[in-house]
Amino acid sequence: MQKYLINPNQKIAKINKDIYGTFSEHLGRCIYEGTFVGEDSPIPNVNGMRKDVVEALKEMGVPVLRWPGGCFADEYHWKDGIGPKENRKKMINTHWGGVVEDNSFGTHEYFELCRQLGCDAYVNGNVGSGTVQEMSEWVEYMTFDGTSPMADLRKANGSEKPWKLKYFGVGNESWGCGGNMMPHYYADEYRRYHVYVRDYDSNNRIYKIGCGPNAFDFEWTDEVMHYAGNKMQGISLHYYTVPGDWGHKGKATVFTDDEYYTTIRKAYKMEELVRRHTEVMNRHDPDKHCDLIVDEWGTWYDVEEGTNPGFLYQQSTMRDALVAGLTLNVFNKHCDRVRMANIAQTVNVLQSVILTDGEDMLLTPTYHVFKMYKDHMENTLLGSYITTDYLDERKETPVLTESASVNADGNIISTISNASLTEAAEIKCQIADFTVSSVTAEIITGDVRNHNTFDNKAVVKTAEFTDFTLTSDGFVANVPPCSVVKFIIK
Ligand code: AHR
């Protein structure tokens, strides 16, 4: 029997809702077809946005949407995407599939999508191939409520009022596709560019995010924090779970049990990454003025056969549900530093929450995990601990992960993932100084290769979970192998 202790007296920090954010790039069918179909499309839409996708994302509770990239951001020139559609420039999307980008989805369409989703905006600016002037004018265009060349241009394009821009990223992967820079060079560039990301409106203080490291590049974090950390509110971290290597990543739906466990071990590296980058940040910023923003994370497999290799289209199985469940538990547990995270990506790209096929749409196992975990949003993280077996001899990857939070009504939300493919976990949960009156629970479980298809969209879905008994201070549950469970404890 594993012991699970929750301490409501230990209130750690707020779980910012933006930890449950997503990322949409001009890549493959994420924006075009997946989200935006245009007003003239036979696919039901509101102002060009697919109704079915918007409805599903609203129900999942997407709090913030990062756009327009990714690597695309550092080749994106925002003025190409405003004004009458017929006059917008057509360009080649050189990073992603070499297809024509007609710029029919631009700044106005992005804010319209955020409006329909009821989510906050996170726009990523172009440092790699853009200029300070271009970035500065974009911010003016989006946020200035007065008379100025850019505000007037926005009005002429149909938006009288500025938009609320919550987050702004100064470059993306500047160590790679965003300009191939060295950390000290990027830090200097950040210092220059960020000056012109102005707060035009005292009610719209833009939260500026500097480009952070790729995975285990602690030197990048160290140098950027040293030279520019006090000028940014957040620094990003990108980490993808690739079961094989970048040449042979592995297939999304066909994999061995060993490959599954490798995937889980690699996904759990997120814990080490967040912890160690936080340690580096603590040396420069012990008072935590700068947050860690994991604005790209998720699994990355070989593309589905017959699809454009540059479109990064992959299916999603119960394996991805486990990756999502454990990763979100890690973010919750580190919510004193991790303020936002954005899964890559929202629709039809990498570990998407939604897949589309023309007018058809399905929800992936990852979608169900996000929807299940949304009860943690804006809660207070509680101290908690679970005993567990490990997936490796060095005891680096636990079989069980958990996080627990308390909401405004005093109810406790606990989420648990069990990565074993064979063993159910008998868990005795005890909550300090808490009298339990009721527990309800939900589960996502099934064979690890199970996935939803356009012929059968409900192979993986959320179900009620009842295999537990109440005790005076908690419960005893039998959590099945390969599952993600949520308990609501009143
Ligand atoms: O999400 C796909 C790509 O991965 C992004 O464009 C880039 O930032 C990262 O390398």
Side-chain angles (χ1 to χ4, degrees), residues 21 82 137 155 201 226 290 369:
I82 56 169
E137 287 184 340
K155 291 174 199 167
D201 177 351
H226 178 72
C290 180
V369 173

Side-chain angles (χ1 to χ4, degrees), residues 10 29 45 81 116 122-123 152 155 174 179-180 189 211-212 214 217 228 283 294 334 337 365 397 439 454 465:
Q10 190 188 1
R29 294 181 299 118
N45 68 84
Q116 291 189 27
Y122 173 11
V123 171
D152 292 348
K155 291 174 199 167
S174 305
N180 231 344
E189 288 290 85
C211 169
N214 180 26
D217 188 352
R283 291 209 292 271
V294 191
H334 288 278
R337 240 333 161 178
T397 316
V439 175
F454 290 98
F465 179 63

Side-chain angles (χ1 to χ4, degrees), residues 23 25 27 66 68-73 95-96 172-173 175 177 214 238 240 246 296-297 300 312 344-345 349-350:
F23 165 41
E25 181 167 10
L27 196 178
R66 178 175 182 240
C71 294
F72 184 82
H95 270 292
W96 305 120
N172 167 75
E173 297 196 351
W175 36 262
C177 66
N214 180 26
H238 288 185
Y240 284 98
W246 284 98
E296 287 187 31
W297 69 273
W300 193 321
L312 310 186
Q345 297 194 3
V349 171
L350 301 177

Side-chain angles (χ1 to χ4, degrees), residues 83-332:
K85 293 222 162 127
E86 59 280 12
N87 298 340
R88 294 191 192 177
K89 262 192 208 159
K90 294 189 173 38
M91 58 186 266
I92 303 295
N93 190 332
T94 45
H95 270 292
W96 305 120
V99 291
V100 174
E101 159 68 57
D102 70 0
N103 279 302
S104 53
F105 188 95
T107 304
H108 292 251
E109 291 75 20
Y110 167 68
F111 280 101
E112 168 61 11
L113 175 60
C114 290
R115 186 192 69 75
Q116 291 189 27
L117 292 173
C119 78
D120 285 319
Y122 173 11
V123 171
N124 212 116
N126 178 349
V127 170
S129 71
T131 62
V132 169
Q133 180 182 359
E134 184 181 14
M135 187 179 283
S136 152
E137 287 184 340
W138 198 9
V139 173
E140 181 186 328
Y141 188 89
M142 291 186 280
T143 61
F144 186 55
D145 189 11
T147 297
S148 81
M150 291 305 115
D152 292 348
L153 184 58
R154 182 194 67 238
K155 291 174 199 167
N157 286 330
S159 290
E160 184 59 31
K161 284 284 165 198
W163 299 284
K164 171 106 179 118
L165 176 62
K166 186 168 177 186
Y167 298 104
F168 191 83
V170 181
N172 167 75
E173 297 196 351
S174 305
W175 36 262
C177 66
N180 231 344
M181 301 175 199
M182 301 298 286
H184 54 273
Y185 180 81
Y186 170 74
D188 257 354
E189 288 290 85
Y190 177 88
R191 291 172 69 101
R192 187 163 71 108
Y193 274 74
H194 98 284
V195 171
Y196 305 96
V197 179
R198 295 201 189 283
D199 289 323
Y200 286 98
D201 177 351
S202 55
N203 293 319
N204 191 151
R205 295 230 167 273
I206 300 170
Y207 179 107
K208 295 172 203 169
I209 299 172
C211 169
N214 180 26
F216 290 89
D217 188 352
F218 300 106
E219 191 189 333
W220 180 280
T221 307
D222 194 35
E223 288 216 25
V224 172
M225 284 301 294
H226 178 72
Y227 290 112
N230 63 353
K231 299 189 174 356
M232 48 185 72
Q233 283 75 55
I235 185 168
S236 64
L237 163 66
H238 288 185
Y239 176 64
Y240 284 98
T241 299
V242 180
D245 54 45
W246 284 98
H248 298 277
K249 298 185 260 312
K251 290 185 190 305
T253 53
V254 183
F255 50 88
T256 63
D257 288 358
D258 273 357
E259 283 168 324
Y260 161 75
Y261 284 121
T262 301
T263 311
I264 296 298
R265 277 198 294 274
K266 288 189 169 181
Y268 194 71
K269 288 283 173 196
M270 184 64 88
E271 201 283 329
E272 180 185 342
L273 284 168
V274 169
R275 190 166 28 82
R276 291 182 61 191
H277 284 292
T278 295
E279 280 163 19
V280 176
M281 291 171 76
N282 286 347
R283 291 209 292 271
H284 302 280
D285 174 33
D287 295 331
K288 301 189 175 153
H289 294 300
C290 180
D291 302 311
L292 189 59
I293 305 291
V294 191
D295 57 13
E296 287 187 31
W297 69 273
T299 52
W300 193 321
Y301 308 125
D302 294 331
V303 298
E304 295 301 321
E305 255 173 57
T307 65
N308 185 329
F311 279 17
L312 310 186
Y313 175 74
Q314 65 189 40
Q315 251 290 2
S316 194
T317 65
M318 267 306 295
R319 169 171 65 167
D320 297 272
L322 264 297
V323 169
L326 74 85
T327 305
L328 293 171
N329 278 340
V330 167
F331 293 154
N332 284 348

Side-chain angles (χ1 to χ4, degrees), residues 260-261 322 391 398-400 417-425 480-483:
Y260 161 75
Y261 284 121
L322 264 297
L391 292 177
V399 172
L400 303 173
S417 68
N418 178 3
S420 171
L421 290 183
T422 49
E423 307 293 322
C482 194
S483 67

